[in-house]
Amino acid sequence: MPSVTRHLFFFLLVAASAVAGTACGSSPEPYAPGLGEMMSLQQMRHTKLWFAGQAENWDMAAYEIDELEEGFDDVVKFHPTHKDSPVAPKDAIPKMVTEPLKDLRAAAGRKDARAFVQAYEGLTAACNNCHQATNISFNRVQTPTGNPYTNQVFVLPR
């Protein structure tokens, strides 16, 4: 009798595992960060870009410009539309931020601090215009007035 019980237990265990495996076999939706999470990262990059430019750390500025571009690409990919926005992020972002980012890249490439400030102001205005177009005008960005990243050195060693 114990052998029959063991076999029955083993059979039930295998059957339960197969049923559980089938139920769990459907692949869950991959994680996609929310638009707010993604834009918080964009805000961080916007801030770091400013301090890199102010320190004339052009390699860091170019890096942050790349990161901003990738972040905007991700927003368009994962959040092509947003709630009841009259203008979809997939339409607004490429039209509004592409040129300001090109201007920033050019200024950083030339190591031109004055052109960088002007291009940065252009990007900041573009961000606010995009927020306006997508009904998020309550969220306005500005040139940073203080460095929240006190654990990062923006100035290159001399």
Side-chain angles (χ1 to χ4, degrees):
M1 190 77 145
S3 176
V4 171
T5 305
R6 249 191 324 231
H7 283 91
L8 182 58
F9 176 76
F10 180 75
F11 173 76
L12 290 174
L13 184 62
V14 169
S17 295
V19 169
T22 302
C24 295
S26 62
S27 57
E29 276 191 44
Y31 171 75
L35 181 58
E37 293 166 301
M38 296 176 98
M39 294 310 289
S40 290
L41 290 172
Q42 292 298 83
Q43 183 177 7
M44 174 198 71
R45 294 168 180 136
H46 180 261
T47 299
K48 287 181 155 195
L49 175 59
W50 174 253
F51 288 107
Q54 292 302 290
E56 296 186 14
N57 185 338
W58 303 117
D59 289 338
M60 182 185 285
Y63 175 82
E64 293 302 338
I65 293 164
D66 285 343
E67 292 297 302
L68 279 164
E69 288 173 336
E70 289 176 13
F72 285 127
D73 289 346
D74 286 345
V75 169
V76 168
K77 177 181 177 182
F78 292 107
H79 299 281
T81 62
H82 184 65
K83 297 183 181 179
D84 57 354
S85 174
V87 178
K90 70 178 176 59
D91 298 323
I93 289 172
K95 289 178 184 168
M96 296 182 156
V97 301
T98 300
E99 286 304 313
L101 286 170
K102 280 184 186 177
D103 293 344
L104 274 163
R105 183 173 302 288
R110 291 190 315 269
K111 301 179 181 186
D112 184 337
R114 183 174 293 157
F116 175 87
V117 169
Q118 185 175 2
Y120 187 88
E121 290 171 356
L123 175 64
T124 302
C127 290
N128 288 324
N129 290 339
C130 190
H131 291 170
Q132 181 78 32
T134 56
N135 278 351
I136 308 174
S137 59
F138 55 84
N139 190 343
R140 296 192 47 79
V141 294
Q142 66 180 15
T143 300
T145 58
N147 180 3
Y149 299 102
T150 57
N151 63 336
Q152 184 168 4
V153 177
F154 292 92
V155 177
L156 292 170
R158 302 248 179 232

